[in-house]
């Protein structure tokens, strides 16, 4: 169902693709937006490697939530790990991971709040700050879950 990578030499193995997904701080979520136009937005997220899920948060209402209610198919992309080889300093290498999957809103409750806390721990320096933020905003935040159907990664040289 999903396309094979055309330039196999550039393909990263699954472990490398997952490592980039774990380490990156922001990803771009693409959904089918209003009137069939793509809608792509950067989001903070948490990757659960064991369960093959990506979690992010957002408002209960708005363009993103409406788009996901209408069509749960998404694409999620991260990129980074830029590195330069001395012989070609003008043309860095960069890695990317692209995920296709189905996204849905999680019901509010203990599970959603535990996932929200786990995600926040990736970004906040202390658990105390996370707990304070969740106490303030936890009731208005919705947790979204992407069930991964396909993942690929590649490394290219930007030249």
């Amino acid at each position: 169902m999903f396309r094979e990578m055309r330039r196999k030499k550039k393909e990263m193995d699954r472990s490398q693709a997952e490592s980039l997904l774990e380490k990156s701080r922001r990803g771009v979520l693409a959904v089918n937006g209003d009137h069939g136009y793509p809608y792509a937005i950067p989001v903070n997220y948490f990757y659960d490697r064991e369960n093959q899920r990506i979690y992010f948060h957002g408002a209960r209402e708005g363009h993103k939530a409406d788009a996901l209610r209408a069509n749960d198919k998404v694409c999620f992309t991260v990129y980074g790990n830029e590195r330069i080889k001395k012989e070609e300093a003008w043309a860095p290498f960069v890695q990317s991971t692209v995920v296709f999957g189905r996204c849905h809103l999680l019901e509010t409750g203990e599970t959603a709040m535990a996932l929200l806390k786990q995600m926040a721990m990736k970004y906040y320096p202390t658990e105390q700050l996370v707990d304070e933020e969740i106490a303030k905003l936890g009731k208005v935040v919705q947790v979204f879950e992407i069930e991964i159907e396909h993942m690929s990664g590649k490394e290219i040289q930007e030249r």
Side-chain angles (χ1 to χ4, degrees), residues 37-50:
Y37 282 96
Y39 179 58
I41 46 170
V43 296
N44 292 345
Y45 70 95
F46 169 73
Y47 172 54
D48 179 351
R49 186 186 283 232
E50 183 179 330

Side-chain angles (χ1 to χ4, degrees), residues 18-31:
E18 287 184 298
S19 179
L20 180 62
L21 195 55
E22 282 176 329
K23 292 176 188 173
S24 295
R25 293 182 55 83
R26 290 182 66 77
V28 178
L29 175 72
V31 299

Side-chain angles (χ1 to χ4, degrees), residues 50 59 61 73 77-78 100-101 105 108 112 114-115 122 139 141:
E50 183 179 330
E61 301 298 326
K73 292 180 181 178
T77 304
V78 297
F100 292 95
L105 306 166
T108 56
L115 288 166
K122 179 177 175 180
K139 291 183 174 132
V141 170

Side-chain angles (χ1 to χ4, degrees), residues 1-147:
M1 175 162 72
F2 296 97
R3 292 182 183 209
E4 293 289 319
M5 191 168 296
R6 188 175 55 84
R7 297 176 72 191
K8 288 287 191 188
K9 285 182 11 183
K10 309 287 185 190
E11 188 170 19
M12 297 187 317
D13 66 35
R14 174 81 180 214
S15 179
Q16 290 174 299
E18 287 184 298
S19 179
L20 180 62
L21 195 55
E22 282 176 329
K23 292 176 188 173
S24 295
R25 293 182 55 83
R26 290 182 66 77
V28 178
L29 175 72
V31 299
N32 187 13
D34 292 347
H35 309 290
Y37 282 96
Y39 179 58
I41 46 170
V43 296
N44 292 345
Y45 70 95
F46 169 73
Y47 172 54
D48 179 351
R49 186 186 283 232
E50 183 179 330
N51 294 303
Q52 293 295 289
R53 302 283 193 267
I54 297 171
Y55 299 97
F56 61 95
H57 68 81
R60 295 177 195 273
E61 301 298 326
H63 195 166
K64 176 175 54 188
D66 291 345
L68 290 169
R69 283 185 194 99
N71 185 341
D72 68 347
K73 292 180 181 178
V74 299
C75 180
F76 186 79
T77 304
V78 297
Y79 60 93
N81 285 349
E82 187 175 291
R83 65 186 174 87
I84 295 174
K85 293 184 178 179
K86 291 180 184 178
E87 62 273 10
E88 292 187 282
W90 62 272
F93 286 81
V94 66
Q95 295 178 337
S96 62
T97 298
V98 176
V99 170
F100 292 95
R102 305 265 178 163
C103 184
H104 60 273
L105 306 166
L106 292 181
E107 294 299 320
T108 56
E110 287 182 34
T111 301
M113 287 301 107
L115 288 166
L116 183 61
K117 183 171 182 172
Q118 192 172 7
M119 181 177 54
M121 290 301 295
K122 179 177 175 180
Y123 298 95
Y124 285 80
T126 67
E127 187 172 5
Q128 179 183 346
L129 284 173
V130 168
D131 290 340
E132 290 170 5
E133 196 70 17
I134 289 174
K136 280 192 296 191
L137 301 172
K139 291 183 174 132
V140 297
V141 170
Q142 177 67 55
V143 177
F144 298 82
E145 176 184 67
I146 300 173
E147 296 179 41

